[in-house]
Amino acid sequence: MDINELKSVARAIVADQKGILAADESGPTIKKRFDAIKLECSEENRRRYREILFTTMGAERYLGGVILYDETLRQNSTEGIPFAELLNSRGILPGIKVDSGAKSLALHAGEKITEGLDGLRERLQEYRQLGAKFAKWRGVIEIDAAALPSSYAIRANAHALARYAALCQEAGIVPIVEPEVLMDGAHDLQRCETVSAQVLEAVFEELAAHGVALEGMLLKPNMVIAGMKSPQQADTGQVAAATMRCLARHVPPAVPGIVFLSGGQSAEDATAHLSAMNQLGPFPWQVSFSYGRALQAPVLDSWKGQEQNVAEAQKIFLRRCQLNSLACAGKYDSGMEGAA
């Protein structure tokens, strides 16, 4: 493990108000997205869609990294250039999703554990050879108003995240540690903050036990937000204050960057929340984004699988990247939506 290399990569991803495009949708997930625009989920359509995102001119000003799916890391551009090489040539670091998904946690009804540790050491070596500079593993924490999550589900997911992170650093790959407290359900803001704090405490306890160098990783947490079914929805300022209070208490300053997931929020809400958080700074870590749907949903709606729509789709993608970069500096305003 070269800690200096890990630190350099982690910092580069979030430097200069840059963030991450999460383009690591699994087969079933990308099929749902394509079904919504009535497009066949073929390998070529998946390749072409990712190529549209990766070749958007100017996106390198706002993106420090892109998380790829295994299939995508092995694909090439229309000109035959491997996607990892294409991204690297533009100063955007390629990453790779390495977990195999959340499965039911045995004997714990309603809870999940993420799998994929078996054979991970060997896969990481291959991914590094294919050009991956960082990786991502998502732990899923189910939440309700009272019973969930159990302390065991929190510990089990924290342990898996730490084992993954240690294997990544051993292989010379920066781990993105993603403990996601879901925003489904009817829990309120306070319940989300309480559970998020418990999860972060467990995660950093396990990372320390596994010897993970915090300077060579990034954290990808949920925002502290009320469940989508909660009658008590918080405003942007309340979400920002609760989230940063929770992180300030439980995330060590050695971590170079926090890159939020959007978690099912609209593109506009995810950007507004990020900007409001940065307005509360400065913080010891860079506070940025690692968005999938919040960057891509407007792009898919514009593209619809039609080549004649590519230029407009790329324009929309570039604008969303730019708006989230502004949010990293606390300079986004909702009045910017729709502006050229």
Side-chain angles (χ1 to χ4, degrees):
M1 178 180 78
D2 183 342
I3 184 59
N4 289 323
E5 180 186 351
L6 294 172
K7 287 164 65 174
S8 176
V9 168
R11 289 172 180 167
I13 291 171
V14 293
D16 304 319
Q17 285 85 57
K18 292 180 181 179
I20 299 170
L21 164 65
D24 59 334
E25 299 90 352
S26 65
T29 300
I30 196 73
K31 185 179 186 303
K32 289 179 187 175
R33 309 269 168 87
F34 281 9
D35 285 349
I37 60 170
K38 297 180 170 58
L39 180 66
E40 180 191 359
C41 190
S42 65
E43 181 179 352
E44 172 53 26
N45 283 339
R46 293 192 296 271
R47 187 206 66 81
R48 179 57 182 146
Y49 173 57
R50 267 65 179 257
E51 182 177 39
I52 289 167
L53 299 173
F54 303 162
T55 57
T56 298
M57 297 304 296
E60 65 276 5
R61 298 198 296 269
Y62 314 118
L63 295 178
V66 174
I67 309 171
L68 305 173
Y69 192 56
D70 181 273
E71 175 187 74
T72 318
L73 183 61
R74 303 174 192 278
Q75 289 176 327
N76 301 331
S77 70
T78 302
E79 289 75 28
I81 303 170
F83 279 146
E85 184 180 327
L86 172 70
L87 290 166
N88 252 323
S89 71
R90 302 186 61 199
I92 303 173
L93 296 175
I96 179 70
K97 166 192 164 78
V98 299
D99 68 71
S100 58
K103 310 292 169 62
S104 295
L105 182 59
L107 306 183
H108 286 72
E111 300 195 276
K112 304 286 187 184
I113 184 69
T114 301
E115 298 184 348
L117 289 169
D118 289 349
L120 180 56
R121 175 179 274 121
E122 293 73 26
R123 287 192 289 126
L124 286 167
Q125 292 169 355
E126 181 189 14
Y127 287 145
R128 184 171 167 86
Q129 290 173 353
L130 288 169
K133 301 293 186 183
F134 66 97
K136 190 207 80 167
W137 177 290
R138 175 178 178 246
V140 178
I141 307 297
E142 301 280 350
I143 176 176
D144 63 15
L148 298 180
S150 66
S151 60
Y152 175 70
I154 292 174
R155 291 199 314 274
N157 278 285
H159 182 79
L161 280 162
R163 282 189 62 193
Y164 140 81
L167 285 165
C168 282
Q169 291 193 338
E170 177 188 78
I173 289 176
V174 169
I176 294 182
V177 175
E178 181 180 0
E180 179 181 1
V181 177
L182 297 176
M183 61 180 288
D184 306 328
H187 57 279
D188 62 14
L189 185 80
Q190 179 57 54
R191 175 66 178 158
C192 183
E193 183 174 356
T194 299
V195 171
S196 296
Q198 293 169 346
V199 170
L200 289 170
E201 246 183 59
V203 166
F204 282 101
E205 184 177 329
E206 288 288 346
L207 289 170
H210 283 71
V212 173
L214 301 186
E215 298 86 351
M217 62 160 276
L218 295 171
L219 178 71
K220 182 174 179 176
N222 56 281
M223 297 179 191
V224 173
I225 195 165
M228 288 187 288
K229 297 175 185 174
S230 172
Q232 301 173 340
Q233 291 296 317
D235 63 29
T236 301
Q238 291 171 320
V239 169
T243 302
M244 301 322 293
R245 178 172 60 239
C246 183
L247 294 172
R249 289 172 175 171
H250 301 287
V251 180
V255 175
I258 293 173
V259 289
F260 284 103
L261 57 91
S262 51
Q265 300 176 66
S266 70
E268 295 80 7
D269 285 349
T271 309
H273 285 141
L274 178 62
S275 191
M277 290 174 202
N278 275 296
Q279 288 168 9
L280 300 174
F283 305 108
W285 352 265
Q286 295 296 314
V287 177
S288 185
F289 60 93
S290 178
Y291 292 165
R293 205 177 331 175
L295 283 176
Q296 295 184 53
V299 182
L300 279 166
D301 288 343
S302 175
W303 176 50
K304 293 184 169 60
Q306 303 297 317
E307 282 300 307
Q308 64 265 29
N309 297 335
V310 167
E312 181 62 23
Q314 288 183 323
K315 179 181 175 183
I316 290 170
F317 177 61
L318 183 65
R319 183 59 174 164
R320 288 250 62 89
C321 291
Q322 180 188 35
L323 291 174
N324 282 291
S325 178
L326 287 168
C328 291
K331 295 180 179 178
Y332 165 82
D333 183 271
S334 60
M336 297 172 177
E337 294 291 345

